Amino acid sequence: MTNLFTLKAAKEQAGEVSTRNSKMPGSSFAISAKHCQVGGKLAQVAGSTCSRCYALKLQKMRPSVDMGWTNNYMKATRLISENPAQWARAIVFQINKAAEKTGERFHRWFDSGDLQSVDMLRAIVMAAELSPDVAHWLPTREAGIVKKYRATYGEFPSNLVVRVSATMIGDKPISGHAHTSTVHRKAESPAGHACPASQQGNACGACRACWSHDVPNVSYPLH
Ligand code: SF4
């Protein structure tokens, strides 16, 4: 891809890709969790997988985080509505810079926030297509957006794993999606791959299961 950006310009246009999550490999892109659609409703439901949302807590506790994620939300939604290809290029420019810095070609979408529209998912797919040597993982509660996207555009590129999250703690994986995630209580058996992070300093370490096409369901222990 031709280098048409400075890092500053790419961040200003598209929102900022971060490498600050030291518990996870590579880069991530977060938007305000205050704009989650399905998640916003689930956050009010006791026992749902959004009922203990760490991102909302962090936004309440730290105004600078709130401002950064809100800025990312505004920049991403605006540029995606005006010029999704430009947004994808500006994001991929940052993802590639981050990969050079960290040596890890892994990117996570939405360590806070969630998909806002089919158009946003389409723009993320463009970003994945522009960075074929980067593995992308997108966890989402927006099963409806994912279904509509697939009905319109077909399957996702092989370097993008979209994991649709179960609604309630203790639920089975949601059906109709190739990649899913669940949350299990201590006394419950995990469905599929149990996330080992809690046994290794709350970090991914060598595990890359969330990004793997070969792992249909990842189950996170409730903590
Ligand atoms: S399953 Fe593996 S890759 Fe996913 S969050 Fe847990 S440790 Fe990280």
Side-chain angles (χ1 to χ4, degrees):
M1 187 176 26
T2 318
N3 178 1
L4 298 172
F5 295 102
T6 62
L7 199 50
K8 189 167 175 256
K11 286 178 189 175
E12 267 167 18
Q13 287 182 34
E16 183 175 355
V17 168
S18 170
T19 55
R20 285 190 288 274
N21 190 338
S22 58
K23 304 283 186 185
M24 206 168 273
S27 56
S28 60
F29 185 73
I31 63 173
S32 170
K34 293 175 186 170
H35 294 272
C36 289
Q37 297 165 18
V38 171
K41 291 184 191 122
L42 286 180
Q44 314 301 320
V45 178
S48 81
T49 51
C50 293
S51 57
R52 302 177 177 205
C53 179
Y54 79 95
L56 279 176
K57 274 187 209 153
L58 201 58
Q59 282 185 259
K60 272 185 201 148
M61 274 178 351
R62 295 184 47 193
S64 62
V65 171
D66 183 40
M67 194 190 293
W69 290 351
T70 300
N71 280 339
N72 278 359
Y73 165 82
M74 291 194 299
K75 288 173 182 176
T77 49
R78 187 173 57 227
L79 190 52
I80 287 169
S81 74
E82 289 167 0
N83 189 342
Q86 176 72 0
W87 181 79
R89 284 191 291 269
I91 285 287
V92 168
F93 179 80
Q94 295 182 67
I95 290 174
N96 284 334
K97 284 274 174 209
E100 280 167 27
K101 186 173 140 190
T102 64
E104 294 274 7
R105 301 199 74 80
F106 291 87
H107 179 75
R108 178 186 172 169
W109 293 95
F110 304 128
D111 40 348
S112 163
D114 204 341
L115 287 170
Q116 301 296 304
S117 62
V118 171
D119 288 348
M120 180 176 271
L121 181 49
R122 180 72 196 129
I124 287 172
V125 169
M126 283 181 199
E129 288 169 344
L130 288 171
S131 54
D133 58 345
V134 174
H136 294 250
W137 158 37
L138 194 169
T140 182
R141 261 76 177 168
E142 298 289 345
I145 290 177
V146 173
K147 267 193 185 160
K148 271 188 209 154
Y149 176 91
R150 284 167 56 206
T152 310
Y153 298 103
E155 292 308 316
F156 298 113
S158 59
N159 63 324
L160 170 63
V161 168
V162 175
R163 274 189 199 284
V164 180
S165 314
T167 305
M168 303 297 287
I169 295 161
D171 268 1
K172 291 197 177 104
I174 192 164
S175 61
H177 298 277
H179 298 101
T180 52
S181 71
T182 47
V183 176
H184 62 275
R185 297 180 183 86
K186 238 182 200 170
E188 293 166 342
S189 306
H193 181 90
C195 171
S198 59
Q199 292 146 38
Q200 48 191 38
N202 288 321
C204 290
C207 180
R208 300 288 181 271
C210 290
W211 286 269
S212 173
H213 258 273
D214 300 333
V215 179
N217 190 69
V218 175
S219 192
Y220 305 102
L222 183 65
H223 51 85

Short mmCIF file of all heavy atoms in Angstrom, two decimals, residues 155-216:
data_model
loop_
_atom_site.label_atom_id
_atom_site.label_comp_id
_atom_site.label_asym_id
_atom_site.label_seq_id
_atom_site.Cartn_x
_atom_site.Cartn_y
_atom_site.Cartn_z
N GLU A 155 -18.96 -14.54 2.96
CA GLU A 155 -18.13 -14.88 4.12
C GLU A 155 -16.98 -13.89 4.32
O GLU A 155 -16.66 -13.12 3.43
CB GLU A 155 -17.60 -16.31 3.96
CG GLU A 155 -18.69 -17.36 4.04
CD GLU A 155 -19.59 -17.24 5.28
OE1 GLU A 155 -19.05 -17.02 6.38
OE2 GLU A 155 -20.82 -17.35 5.15
N PHE A 156 -16.39 -13.97 5.50
CA PHE A 156 -15.30 -13.06 5.86
C PHE A 156 -13.97 -13.53 5.26
O PHE A 156 -13.80 -14.73 5.02
CB PHE A 156 -15.18 -12.98 7.39
CG PHE A 156 -16.43 -12.44 8.03
CD1 PHE A 156 -17.22 -13.23 8.84
CD2 PHE A 156 -16.81 -11.12 7.79
CE1 PHE A 156 -18.38 -12.73 9.40
CE2 PHE A 156 -17.98 -10.62 8.35
CZ PHE A 156 -18.75 -11.43 9.16
N PRO A 157 -13.02 -12.62 5.06
CA PRO A 157 -11.70 -13.06 4.59
C PRO A 157 -11.04 -13.98 5.63
O PRO A 157 -11.36 -13.93 6.81
CB PRO A 157 -10.92 -11.75 4.43
CG PRO A 157 -11.70 -10.69 5.13
CD PRO A 157 -13.10 -11.17 5.25
N SER A 158 -10.10 -14.79 5.15
CA SER A 158 -9.55 -15.84 6.02
C SER A 158 -8.72 -15.28 7.19
O SER A 158 -8.49 -15.97 8.17
CB SER A 158 -8.70 -16.80 5.20
OG SER A 158 -7.65 -16.08 4.59
N ASN A 159 -8.29 -14.02 7.09
CA ASN A 159 -7.50 -13.44 8.19
C ASN A 159 -8.36 -12.67 9.19
O ASN A 159 -7.83 -11.95 10.05
CB ASN A 159 -6.40 -12.52 7.64
CG ASN A 159 -6.95 -11.32 6.88
OD1 ASN A 159 -7.95 -11.43 6.19
ND2 ASN A 159 -6.30 -10.18 7.01
N LEU A 160 -9.70 -12.80 9.08
CA LEU A 160 -10.60 -12.13 10.04
C LEU A 160 -11.52 -13.16 10.70
O LEU A 160 -12.29 -13.84 10.02
CB LEU A 160 -11.46 -11.08 9.31
CG LEU A 160 -12.62 -10.46 10.11
CD1 LEU A 160 -12.10 -9.68 11.32
CD2 LEU A 160 -13.45 -9.53 9.21
N VAL A 161 -11.40 -13.27 12.02
CA VAL A 161 -12.29 -14.15 12.79
C VAL A 161 -13.29 -13.26 13.54
O VAL A 161 -12.90 -12.46 14.40
CB VAL A 161 -11.50 -15.03 13.78
CG1 VAL A 161 -12.44 -15.72 14.77
CG2 VAL A 161 -10.70 -16.07 13.02
N VAL A 162 -14.56 -13.37 13.17
CA VAL A 162 -15.63 -12.63 13.85
C VAL A 162 -16.27 -13.59 14.83
O VAL A 162 -16.86 -14.60 14.43
CB VAL A 162 -16.67 -12.10 12.83
CG1 VAL A 162 -17.83 -11.43 13.55
CG2 VAL A 162 -16.01 -11.14 11.85
N ARG A 163 -16.11 -13.32 16.13
CA ARG A 163 -16.65 -14.21 17.18
C ARG A 163 -17.90 -13.59 17.79
O ARG A 163 -17.83 -12.52 18.40
CB ARG A 163 -15.63 -14.39 18.32
CG ARG A 163 -14.68 -15.48 18.07
CD ARG A 163 -13.80 -15.84 19.24
NE ARG A 163 -12.70 -16.55 18.66
CZ ARG A 163 -12.74 -17.81 18.23
NH1 ARG A 163 -13.84 -18.52 18.39
NH2 ARG A 163 -11.69 -18.37 17.66
N VAL A 164 -19.02 -14.27 17.62
CA VAL A 164 -20.27 -13.76 18.17
C VAL A 164 -20.42 -14.29 19.60
O VAL A 164 -20.34 -15.50 19.85
CB VAL A 164 -21.47 -14.17 17.29
CG1 VAL A 164 -22.77 -13.63 17.86
CG2 VAL A 164 -21.27 -13.66 15.86
N SER A 165 -20.60 -13.36 20.53
CA SER A 165 -20.60 -13.71 21.96
C SER A 165 -21.98 -14.17 22.41
O SER A 165 -23.00 -13.62 21.96
CB SER A 165 -20.21 -12.50 22.80
OG SER A 165 -19.09 -11.87 22.25
N ALA A 166 -21.99 -15.12 23.32
CA ALA A 166 -23.24 -15.57 23.95
C ALA A 166 -23.85 -14.42 24.75
O ALA A 166 -23.14 -13.52 25.22
CB ALA A 166 -22.96 -16.75 24.86
N THR A 167 -25.17 -14.47 24.91
CA THR A 167 -25.87 -13.37 25.59
C THR A 167 -25.71 -13.45 27.11
O THR A 167 -25.46 -12.43 27.76
CB THR A 167 -27.37 -13.44 25.23
OG1 THR A 167 -27.47 -13.41 23.80
CG2 THR A 167 -28.14 -12.28 25.80
N MET A 168 -25.88 -14.66 27.66
CA MET A 168 -25.90 -14.79 29.12
C MET A 168 -24.70 -15.62 29.60
O MET A 168 -24.24 -16.53 28.89
CB MET A 168 -27.20 -15.49 29.57
CG MET A 168 -28.48 -14.78 29.14
SD MET A 168 -28.67 -13.12 29.83
CE MET A 168 -29.08 -13.50 31.54
N ILE A 169 -24.23 -15.34 30.80
CA ILE A 169 -23.18 -16.13 31.43
C ILE A 169 -23.72 -17.56 31.58
O ILE A 169 -24.86 -17.75 32.03
CB ILE A 169 -22.82 -15.55 32.81
CG1 ILE A 169 -22.19 -14.16 32.62
CG2 ILE A 169 -21.88 -16.47 33.58
CD1 ILE A 169 -22.21 -13.30 33.88
N GLY A 170 -22.93 -18.54 31.17
CA GLY A 170 -23.35 -19.94 31.29
C GLY A 170 -24.10 -20.45 30.06
O GLY A 170 -24.40 -21.64 29.98
N ASP A 171 -24.40 -19.56 29.10
CA ASP A 171 -25.08 -19.99 27.86
C ASP A 171 -24.17 -20.87 27.01
O ASP A 171 -22.95 -20.78 27.09
CB ASP A 171 -25.42 -18.76 26.99
CG ASP A 171 -26.82 -18.22 27.27
OD1 ASP A 171 -27.50 -18.78 28.15
OD2 ASP A 171 -27.19 -17.22 26.62
N LYS A 172 -24.83 -21.68 26.14
CA LYS A 172 -24.09 -22.43 25.11
C LYS A 172 -23.70 -21.45 23.99
O LYS A 172 -24.29 -20.37 23.88
CB LYS A 172 -25.01 -23.50 24.52
CG LYS A 172 -25.35 -24.61 25.47
CD LYS A 172 -25.90 -25.79 24.68
CE LYS A 172 -26.19 -26.95 25.60
NZ LYS A 172 -27.59 -27.13 25.89
N PRO A 173 -22.76 -21.87 23.11
CA PRO A 173 -22.42 -20.98 21.98
C PRO A 173 -23.67 -20.70 21.14
O PRO A 173 -24.49 -21.57 20.93
CB PRO A 173 -21.41 -21.81 21.18
CG PRO A 173 -20.85 -22.79 22.15
CD PRO A 173 -21.91 -23.08 23.16
N ILE A 174 -23.77 -19.48 20.67
CA ILE A 174 -24.89 -19.05 19.84
C ILE A 174 -24.80 -19.80 18.49
O ILE A 174 -23.71 -19.96 17.95
CB ILE A 174 -24.86 -17.51 19.69
CG1 ILE A 174 -26.13 -16.96 19.10
CG2 ILE A 174 -23.68 -17.01 18.93
CD1 ILE A 174 -26.27 -15.44 19.32
N SER A 175 -25.94 -20.29 17.99
CA SER A 175 -25.89 -21.11 16.77
C SER A 175 -25.90 -20.22 15.51
O SER A 175 -26.29 -19.05 15.58
CB SER A 175 -27.06 -22.09 16.74
OG SER A 175 -28.25 -21.36 16.74
N GLY A 176 -25.48 -20.81 14.40
CA GLY A 176 -25.54 -20.11 13.11
C GLY A 176 -24.30 -19.30 12.79
O GLY A 176 -24.29 -18.58 11.79
N HIS A 177 -23.27 -19.38 13.65
CA HIS A 177 -22.03 -18.63 13.39
C HIS A 177 -20.82 -19.58 13.51
O HIS A 177 -20.79 -20.42 14.40
CB HIS A 177 -21.87 -17.48 14.39
CG HIS A 177 -22.99 -16.47 14.27
ND1 HIS A 177 -22.98 -15.46 13.34
CD2 HIS A 177 -24.16 -16.38 14.93
CE1 HIS A 177 -24.10 -14.76 13.45
NE2 HIS A 177 -24.84 -15.29 14.41
N ALA A 178 -19.86 -19.40 12.62
CA ALA A 178 -18.69 -20.29 12.61
C ALA A 178 -17.82 -20.10 13.84
O ALA A 178 -17.19 -21.04 14.32
CB ALA A 178 -17.88 -20.03 11.35
N HIS A 179 -17.77 -18.87 14.35
CA HIS A 179 -16.89 -18.56 15.49
C HIS A 179 -17.69 -17.83 16.57
O HIS A 179 -18.39 -16.85 16.26
CB HIS A 179 -15.69 -17.73 15.03
CG HIS A 179 -14.84 -18.46 14.05
ND1 HIS A 179 -14.89 -18.23 12.70
CD2 HIS A 179 -13.95 -19.47 14.24
CE1 HIS A 179 -14.05 -19.06 12.09
NE2 HIS A 179 -13.47 -19.82 13.00
N THR A 180 -17.55 -18.31 17.77
CA THR A 180 -18.36 -17.78 18.88
C THR A 180 -17.51 -17.71 20.15
O THR A 180 -16.39 -18.22 20.21
CB THR A 180 -19.56 -18.72 19.16
OG1 THR A 180 -19.05 -20.05 19.32
CG2 THR A 180 -20.57 -18.70 18.02
N SER A 181 -18.09 -17.09 21.18
CA SER A 181 -17.47 -17.14 22.51
C SER A 181 -18.55 -17.25 23.57
O SER A 181 -19.71 -16.87 23.33
CB SER A 181 -16.59 -15.91 22.77
OG SER A 181 -17.40 -14.78 22.94
N THR A 182 -18.16 -17.80 24.71
CA THR A 182 -19.07 -17.98 25.85
C THR A 182 -18.35 -17.56 27.13
O THR A 182 -17.14 -17.31 27.11
CB THR A 182 -19.48 -19.48 25.97
OG1 THR A 182 -18.29 -20.27 25.86
CG2 THR A 182 -20.44 -19.89 24.86
N VAL A 183 -19.13 -17.49 28.21
CA VAL A 183 -18.53 -17.23 29.55
C VAL A 183 -19.03 -18.33 30.48
O VAL A 183 -20.25 -18.58 30.54
CB VAL A 183 -18.96 -15.84 30.07
CG1 VAL A 183 -18.43 -15.62 31.49
CG2 VAL A 183 -18.45 -14.73 29.14
N HIS A 184 -18.10 -19.02 31.15
CA HIS A 184 -18.51 -20.10 32.07
C HIS A 184 -18.16 -19.76 33.51
O HIS A 184 -17.15 -19.10 33.78
CB HIS A 184 -17.89 -21.45 31.67
CG HIS A 184 -16.39 -21.47 31.72
ND1 HIS A 184 -15.58 -21.05 30.67
CD2 HIS A 184 -15.53 -21.87 32.70
CE1 HIS A 184 -14.32 -21.19 30.99
NE2 HIS A 184 -14.25 -21.68 32.23
N ARG A 185 -19.03 -20.24 34.43
CA ARG A 185 -18.74 -20.09 35.86
C ARG A 185 -17.76 -21.18 36.28
O ARG A 185 -17.59 -22.17 35.56
CB ARG A 185 -20.03 -20.22 36.68
CG ARG A 185 -21.04 -19.13 36.37
CD ARG A 185 -22.30 -19.30 37.22
NE ARG A 185 -23.30 -18.30 36.87
CZ ARG A 185 -24.19 -18.44 35.88
NH1 ARG A 185 -24.21 -19.55 35.15
NH2 ARG A 185 -25.06 -17.48 35.62
N LYS A 186 -17.18 -21.00 37.46
CA LYS A 186 -16.17 -21.94 37.96
C LYS A 186 -16.67 -23.38 37.93
O LYS A 186 -15.96 -24.30 37.53
CB LYS A 186 -15.80 -21.58 39.40
CG LYS A 186 -14.34 -21.30 39.58
CD LYS A 186 -14.04 -21.00 41.03
CE LYS A 186 -12.72 -20.26 41.12
NZ LYS A 186 -12.49 -19.74 42.45
N ALA A 187 -17.94 -23.57 38.36
CA ALA A 187 -18.48 -24.93 38.48
C ALA A 187 -18.89 -25.52 37.13
O ALA A 187 -19.19 -26.71 37.05
CB ALA A 187 -19.69 -24.90 39.41
N GLU A 188 -18.91 -24.69 36.08
CA GLU A 188 -19.39 -25.16 34.77
C GLU A 188 -18.21 -25.60 33.89
O GLU A 188 -17.10 -25.07 34.02
CB GLU A 188 -20.15 -24.03 34.06
CG GLU A 188 -21.45 -23.67 34.75
CD GLU A 188 -22.05 -22.35 34.25
OE1 GLU A 188 -21.31 -21.54 33.63
OE2 GLU A 188 -23.23 -22.13 34.51
N SER A 189 -18.50 -26.56 32.98
CA SER A 189 -17.46 -26.96 32.03
C SER A 189 -17.42 -25.96 30.89
O SER A 189 -18.47 -25.58 30.37
CB SER A 189 -17.78 -28.33 31.42
OG SER A 189 -17.99 -29.24 32.44
N PRO A 190 -16.22 -25.55 30.49
CA PRO A 190 -16.13 -24.64 29.35
C PRO A 190 -16.54 -25.34 28.06
O PRO A 190 -16.29 -26.53 27.91
CB PRO A 190 -14.65 -24.25 29.32
CG PRO A 190 -13.94 -25.31 30.08
CD PRO A 190 -14.91 -25.89 31.06
N ALA A 191 -17.19 -24.59 27.17
CA ALA A 191 -17.51 -25.14 25.84
C ALA A 191 -16.33 -24.84 24.94
O ALA A 191 -16.01 -23.68 24.70
CB ALA A 191 -18.77 -24.48 25.30
N GLY A 192 -15.65 -25.87 24.46
CA GLY A 192 -14.51 -25.63 23.55
C GLY A 192 -13.27 -25.18 24.28
O GLY A 192 -12.99 -25.64 25.39
N HIS A 193 -12.56 -24.22 23.71
CA HIS A 193 -11.26 -23.80 24.24
C HIS A 193 -11.46 -22.89 25.46
O HIS A 193 -12.08 -21.83 25.36
CB HIS A 193 -10.50 -23.04 23.15
CG HIS A 193 -9.15 -22.57 23.58
ND1 HIS A 193 -8.01 -23.32 23.45
CD2 HIS A 193 -8.76 -21.41 24.18
CE1 HIS A 193 -6.98 -22.66 23.93
NE2 HIS A 193 -7.40 -21.49 24.38
N ALA A 194 -10.92 -23.31 26.60
CA ALA A 194 -11.01 -22.47 27.80
C ALA A 194 -9.87 -21.46 27.78
O ALA A 194 -8.70 -21.82 27.63
CB ALA A 194 -10.91 -23.34 29.05
N CYS A 195 -10.21 -20.19 27.92
CA CYS A 195 -9.19 -19.13 27.91
C CYS A 195 -8.25 -19.33 29.11
O CYS A 195 -8.70 -19.35 30.25
CB CYS A 195 -9.86 -17.76 27.98
SG CYS A 195 -8.67 -16.42 28.25
N PRO A 196 -6.93 -19.45 28.87
CA PRO A 196 -6.00 -19.68 29.97
C PRO A 196 -5.49 -18.40 30.63
O PRO A 196 -4.68 -18.47 31.56
CB PRO A 196 -4.84 -20.40 29.26
CG PRO A 196 -4.82 -19.80 27.89
CD PRO A 196 -6.26 -19.45 27.56
N ALA A 197 -5.95 -17.22 30.18
CA ALA A 197 -5.33 -15.96 30.63
C ALA A 197 -5.29 -15.83 32.15
O ALA A 197 -4.29 -15.37 32.72
CB ALA A 197 -6.05 -14.77 30.01
N SER A 198 -6.37 -16.26 32.85
CA SER A 198 -6.43 -16.06 34.30
C SER A 198 -5.35 -16.88 35.03
O SER A 198 -5.02 -16.60 36.17
CB SER A 198 -7.82 -16.41 34.84
OG SER A 198 -8.12 -17.75 34.53
N GLN A 199 -4.81 -17.89 34.35
CA GLN A 199 -3.74 -18.69 34.98
C GLN A 199 -2.35 -18.23 34.55
O GLN A 199 -1.35 -18.87 34.89
CB GLN A 199 -3.91 -20.16 34.58
CG GLN A 199 -5.13 -20.80 35.18
CD GLN A 199 -5.73 -21.82 34.22
OE1 GLN A 199 -5.00 -22.53 33.55
NE2 GLN A 199 -7.04 -21.87 34.16
N GLN A 200 -2.29 -17.17 33.75
CA GLN A 200 -0.98 -16.70 33.26
C GLN A 200 -0.89 -15.18 33.30
O GLN A 200 -0.61 -14.55 32.28
CB GLN A 200 -0.69 -17.30 31.87
CG GLN A 200 -1.82 -17.16 30.89
CD GLN A 200 -1.63 -17.99 29.61
OE1 GLN A 200 -1.13 -19.11 29.63
NE2 GLN A 200 -2.01 -17.42 28.48
N GLY A 201 -1.23 -14.65 34.50
CA GLY A 201 -1.09 -13.21 34.71
C GLY A 201 -2.10 -12.37 33.95
O GLY A 201 -1.82 -11.23 33.59
N ASN A 202 -3.28 -12.96 33.68
CA ASN A 202 -4.32 -12.26 32.90
C ASN A 202 -3.81 -11.79 31.55
O ASN A 202 -4.24 -10.76 31.04
CB ASN A 202 -4.92 -11.09 33.69
CG ASN A 202 -5.79 -11.58 34.81
OD1 ASN A 202 -6.52 -12.55 34.66
ND2 ASN A 202 -5.68 -10.94 35.97
N ALA A 203 -2.89 -12.56 30.98
CA ALA A 203 -2.32 -12.20 29.68
C ALA A 203 -2.47 -13.37 28.71
O ALA A 203 -2.63 -14.52 29.13
CB ALA A 203 -0.85 -11.85 29.85
N CYS A 204 -2.39 -13.05 27.42
CA CYS A 204 -2.52 -14.11 26.41
C CYS A 204 -1.29 -15.02 26.38
O CYS A 204 -1.41 -16.19 26.02
CB CYS A 204 -2.72 -13.49 25.03
SG CYS A 204 -4.34 -12.70 24.85
N GLY A 205 -0.13 -14.49 26.74
CA GLY A 205 1.09 -15.31 26.63
C GLY A 205 1.22 -15.83 25.21
O GLY A 205 1.11 -15.07 24.25
N ALA A 206 1.39 -17.15 25.08
CA ALA A 206 1.57 -17.74 23.74
C ALA A 206 0.25 -18.10 23.08
O ALA A 206 0.22 -18.51 21.92
CB ALA A 206 2.45 -18.98 23.86
N CYS A 207 -0.86 -17.96 23.80
CA CYS A 207 -2.18 -18.36 23.24
C CYS A 207 -2.66 -17.34 22.21
O CYS A 207 -2.58 -16.14 22.43
CB CYS A 207 -3.19 -18.48 24.37
SG CYS A 207 -4.84 -18.97 23.79
N ARG A 208 -3.16 -17.84 21.08
CA ARG A 208 -3.74 -16.98 20.04
C ARG A 208 -5.10 -17.54 19.61
O ARG A 208 -5.55 -17.33 18.48
CB ARG A 208 -2.81 -16.90 18.81
CG ARG A 208 -1.41 -16.34 19.11
CD ARG A 208 -1.44 -14.85 19.39
NE ARG A 208 -0.11 -14.31 19.64
CZ ARG A 208 0.48 -14.25 20.84
NH1 ARG A 208 -0.17 -14.70 21.93
NH2 ARG A 208 1.68 -13.71 20.98
N ALA A 209 -5.76 -18.29 20.53
CA ALA A 209 -7.00 -19.00 20.17
C ALA A 209 -8.08 -18.07 19.63
O ALA A 209 -8.81 -18.44 18.71
CB ALA A 209 -7.52 -19.76 21.39
N CYS A 210 -8.18 -16.88 20.19
CA CYS A 210 -9.26 -15.97 19.75
C CYS A 210 -9.13 -15.60 18.28
O CYS A 210 -10.12 -15.32 17.62
CB CYS A 210 -9.28 -14.72 20.61
SG CYS A 210 -9.84 -15.06 22.28
N TRP A 211 -7.90 -15.60 17.77
CA TRP A 211 -7.65 -15.22 16.37
C TRP A 211 -7.71 -16.44 15.44
O TRP A 211 -7.55 -16.28 14.24
CB TRP A 211 -6.27 -14.58 16.23
CG TRP A 211 -6.14 -13.20 16.74
CD1 TRP A 211 -6.32 -12.04 16.03
CD2 TRP A 211 -5.75 -12.79 18.06
NE1 TRP A 211 -6.08 -10.95 16.83
CE2 TRP A 211 -5.73 -11.38 18.08
CE3 TRP A 211 -5.43 -13.47 19.24
CZ2 TRP A 211 -5.40 -10.64 19.22
CZ3 TRP A 211 -5.10 -12.75 20.37
CH2 TRP A 211 -5.09 -11.35 20.36
N SER A 212 -7.87 -17.64 16.01
CA SER A 212 -7.70 -18.85 15.21
C SER A 212 -9.00 -19.32 14.56
O SER A 212 -10.00 -19.53 15.24
CB SER A 212 -7.14 -19.98 16.09
OG SER A 212 -7.12 -21.17 15.37
N HIS A 213 -8.94 -19.54 13.25
CA HIS A 213 -10.08 -20.11 12.52
C HIS A 213 -10.39 -21.52 12.99
O HIS A 213 -11.50 -22.01 12.82
CB HIS A 213 -9.73 -20.16 11.02
CG HIS A 213 -10.39 -19.06 10.26
ND1 HIS A 213 -11.65 -19.15 9.74
CD2 HIS A 213 -9.95 -17.81 9.96
CE1 HIS A 213 -11.97 -18.02 9.14
NE2 HIS A 213 -10.96 -17.19 9.27
N ASP A 214 -9.37 -22.21 13.55
CA ASP A 214 -9.53 -23.61 13.94
C ASP A 214 -10.17 -23.75 15.31
O ASP A 214 -10.35 -24.87 15.80
CB ASP A 214 -8.16 -24.31 13.95
CG ASP A 214 -7.52 -24.26 12.57
OD1 ASP A 214 -8.28 -24.19 11.58
OD2 ASP A 214 -6.28 -24.26 12.49
N VAL A 215 -10.50 -22.64 15.97
CA VAL A 215 -11.12 -22.71 17.30
C VAL A 215 -12.55 -22.16 17.18
O VAL A 215 -12.76 -20.95 17.16
CB VAL A 215 -10.30 -21.89 18.33
CG1 VAL A 215 -10.97 -21.93 19.70
CG2 VAL A 215 -8.87 -22.40 18.41
N PRO A 216 -13.55 -23.05 17.08
CA PRO A 216 -14.93 -22.55 16.89
C PRO A 216 -15.43 -21.75 18.07
O PRO A 216 -16.06 -20.70 17.88
CB PRO A 216 -15.76 -23.84 16.73
CG PRO A 216 -14.78 -24.94 16.48
CD PRO A 216 -13.46 -24.52 17.05
#
